[in-house]
Amino acid sequence: MKRVQSKATLHKAWRVIQENAQTSTSLDVREEVDKFAADPQKNINQLSGQLSAGSFRFPEAKGIPVAKKNADGTKSAKFRPLVLASLRSRIVQRAVLEALDTVSGLKPYFHNPHSFGGIQKQKDGLAAVPAAVQAVLTAIGNGATHVAFADIRAFFTKIPKPHVTEIIATVTGDPEFMALFADAIKLELSNMAELKEKAQAFPIESIGVAQGNSLSPLLGNILLHDFDRQMNEGDCVCIRYIDDFIILAPSAAAAKARMKLAIGILAKFGMTLSEEKSTTEPLRVSDQFDWLGIEFNNGLLRPSKKAISKLELNVQKRFNESAKGMRETKPGGPIARKHSLVATLNRTDSIIRGWGKHYRFCNDEALFARIDAKMARLVGAFLGEYRDIKNRRDAKDAASLLGIDELARQKRQPLIWPSQGKKPQAGYTLPSASITAAPLPITGAIWDEIIAEALTADVADPDAPRWE
């Protein structure tokens, strides 16, 4: 418990969450992080004090039903029940995870050589998905000829909290800490009424943990520790990334038998496999197959076609929302900052940068060049649309369209000049000699100069991946 309360632990947890937020597409998440970052030392001190005094409470979280996609890209009736807790909750949850990583009795769950999801660890400079992919390549290099893979259906909603909590309580021997831990994995939703019948899919009872809680992967690792052991006995290798696992075997028959074993072990926890994400029959390693959003293609590692399509749709969605917001704002009214050119390009940059970082270990350079060209065309088209919207509006809207703050629109609290003596003029007027043109047209012209080069370059040659 003292380790969780430590300012050093809380700082470490905060840095991880701050880094993750840099590539978040959620404006709410990024604004919350920016607010905390304005004075992190003060906020960390406050958290540490509340934890030490026993006064910290986890606020209700927000349930987010994220629609799944059908094979044709349309929205499915099924959804993934994601949970977004407050920033302070996420920092404390992460601090709890950092403290648990120091408990010797939990080392086997943190450092499972066959599980790679959610728990940060480094091996040969790799972690998470890159480390899992490297483990697959190692197994292929060691002679595996066939693969079979599967996804555990609704995995997080099936984890029994009492079972894994008992294991942690035994090895920590810290009742005060376990009270905090129980609160950290307990889920209370602020939008139950809004979710209606979908609220039943969220793990608000004793069975199930929140997807989005940094502690959830550890609980999954604890639950499936024996699964990982049994699946890696003998001549097969099983690599697991949270609820996705892949079997690498010396023959199709061996892969099939090992998948049958997996189904039997998972059934003890009331878990089944997702048919749409699982192989029906083993494949040869030389065949093209997708796992964890990666296309393995007999020597080439690429983002899957689905992942590429999702990137394009996400970027296009941001541009469409921005253009729609610009068009629908009444003339003379301020454009919502999130729809401005600067904010939209900034969000798009975060999307592309985060996506590229995730797939940085892939080796198909020609594919990335083609994706760059596609992104350049999307940006060029958006800039062209922005220019058309700007040309149709009054010049006084130019700064707002760009996303540049205007002093005249800021709320002010002017100080009152004392009544004694000479009263000031109602407003300050520039000397007439300094005024060479009407202010608003000058403003519009200035913005034209600022973006002219970017507009010309990208619209004139949309196939060139030159946008940065």
Side-chain angles (χ1 to χ4, degrees):
M1 188 62 184
K2 288 182 179 179
R3 191 175 293 274
V4 176
Q5 298 165 355
S6 162
K7 294 176 185 177
T9 303
L10 291 167
H11 264 295
K12 184 176 180 181
W14 152 243
R15 286 194 296 269
V16 171
I17 290 170
Q18 183 183 33
E19 182 181 355
N20 291 340
Q22 290 178 1
T23 53
S24 172
T25 59
S26 169
L27 286 178
D28 291 339
V29 168
R30 294 173 67 177
E31 287 175 2
E32 191 178 22
V33 167
D34 288 344
K35 185 177 179 180
F36 194 94
D39 194 346
Q41 188 61 56
K42 175 184 175 182
N43 291 318
I44 292 295
N45 290 346
Q46 185 181 54
L47 271 180
S48 178
Q50 290 174 343
L51 288 165
S52 299
S55 61
F56 178 82
R57 298 292 181 268
F58 289 95
E60 292 180 333
K62 182 179 180 181
I64 306 174
V66 179
K68 294 185 177 180
K69 299 285 186 179
N70 294 313
D72 60 359
T74 59
K75 285 187 177 180
S76 167
K78 299 178 181 179
F79 64 91
R80 189 181 298 275
L82 295 182
V83 174
L84 179 61
S86 72
L87 175 63
R88 291 172 184 267
S89 292
R90 299 200 306 276
I91 292 173
V92 175
Q93 288 165 348
R94 184 78 203 187
V96 169
L97 182 66
E98 296 288 347
L100 288 173
D101 194 16
T102 67
V103 179
S104 59
L106 295 176
K107 292 296 183 185
Y109 307 113
F110 276 94
H111 304 286
N112 181 342
H114 308 295
S115 175
F116 296 89
I119 307 297
Q120 279 198 346
K121 62 184 176 192
Q122 297 291 333
K123 183 179 180 182
D124 301 328
L126 298 177
V129 173
V133 171
Q134 181 58 65
V136 171
L137 298 178
T138 299
I140 293 174
N142 289 337
T145 59
H146 287 77
V147 298
F149 46 86
D151 172 84
I152 304 173
R153 187 186 300 277
F155 174 60
F156 286 110
T157 64
K158 299 293 181 67
I159 296 176
K161 286 196 280 277
H163 175 78
V164 293
T165 299
E166 183 179 352
I167 293 173
I168 294 175
T170 300
V171 297
T172 57
D174 187 339
E176 184 184 3
F177 169 81
M178 288 309 301
L180 179 68
F181 178 84
D183 286 341
I185 64 173
K186 182 180 179 181
L187 179 60
E188 293 181 352
L189 297 175
S190 61
N191 59 333
M192 287 282 286
E194 178 186 334
L195 290 170
K196 298 180 181 179
E197 68 279 359
K198 290 182 179 179
Q200 299 175 5
F202 289 83
I204 55 179
E205 304 296 339
S206 62
I207 301 299
V209 294
Q211 186 170 354
N213 187 327
S214 59
L215 289 161
S216 296
L218 172 63
L219 304 189
N221 265 14
I222 293 173
L223 183 70
L224 295 185
H225 188 68
D226 196 55
F227 170 89
D228 294 330
R229 180 188 61 79
Q230 292 187 58
M231 291 292 290
N232 282 280
E233 290 179 341
D235 56 0
C236 292
V237 172
C238 179
I239 311 294
R240 183 172 60 83
Y241 192 91
I242 306 179
D243 55 353
D244 289 284
F245 65 90
I246 185 169
I247 297 165
L248 296 112
S251 66
K256 202 168 186 176
R258 197 55 57 103
M259 184 64 77
K260 184 177 180 181
L261 173 64
I263 293 171
I265 298 173
L266 293 172
K268 297 176 183 177
F269 302 112
M271 297 178 179
T272 58
L273 301 183
S274 175
E275 294 179 1
E276 59 270 23
K277 294 184 179 180
S278 305
T279 51
T280 54
E281 293 290 336
L283 303 170
R284 296 192 64 85
V285 296
S286 56
D287 295 335
Q288 182 245 307
F289 62 92
D290 291 357
W291 188 60
L292 298 182
I294 306 300
E295 179 185 303
F296 295 75
N297 198 336
N298 199 24
L300 287 174
L301 294 173
R302 304 164 170 156
S304 67
K305 293 180 177 64
K306 182 178 178 180
I308 297 171
S309 176
K310 186 176 180 180
L311 170 67
E312 294 176 359
L313 289 173
N314 200 2
V315 169
Q316 186 64 69
K317 178 183 176 182
R318 304 298 167 190
F319 289 155
N320 291 344
E321 289 175 349
S322 174
K324 184 172 184 278
M326 290 178 184
R327 285 194 300 267
E328 293 181 352
T329 302
K330 293 180 180 180
I335 310 297
R337 183 171 290 275
K338 66 180 180 180
H339 293 146
S340 70
L341 181 72
V342 171
T344 301
L345 291 179
N346 188 37
R347 292 177 71 191
T348 303
D349 174 61
S350 293
I351 293 170
I352 296 173
R353 184 157 38 90
W355 193 89
K357 182 179 178 181
H358 182 75
Y359 293 103
R360 64 189 180 278
F361 58 90
C362 293
N363 61 9
D364 191 344
E365 297 298 335
L367 174 65
F368 286 114
R370 292 195 295 273
I371 296 174
D372 280 341
K374 176 66 174 179
M375 293 298 105
R377 288 193 291 272
L378 292 177
V379 170
F382 171 64
L383 288 175
E385 190 167 9
Y386 159 80
R387 181 176 58 182
D388 182 64
I389 293 170
K390 182 179 70 66
N391 289 339
R392 292 171 183 270
R393 296 181 70 101
D394 194 288
K396 66 183 180 181
D397 294 332
S400 183
L401 284 166
L402 265 179
I404 303 299
D405 202 11
E406 295 176 278
L407 301 179
R409 293 185 188 273
Q410 290 182 351
K411 291 183 179 180
R412 304 184 187 285
Q413 294 180 323
L415 299 176
I416 305 299
W417 190 278
S419 57
Q420 295 87 349
K422 185 179 180 181
K423 292 184 179 180
Q425 296 178 1
Y428 177 76
T429 305
L430 288 170
S432 58
S434 67
I435 301 176
T436 57
L440 292 180
I442 290 177
T443 302
I446 291 173
W447 297 136
D448 284 344
E449 284 184 28
I450 292 173
I451 63 172
E453 184 176 352
L455 285 173
T456 304
D458 285 278
V459 176
D461 189 7
D463 291 328
R466 295 165 57 186
W467 180 265
E468 296 180 358

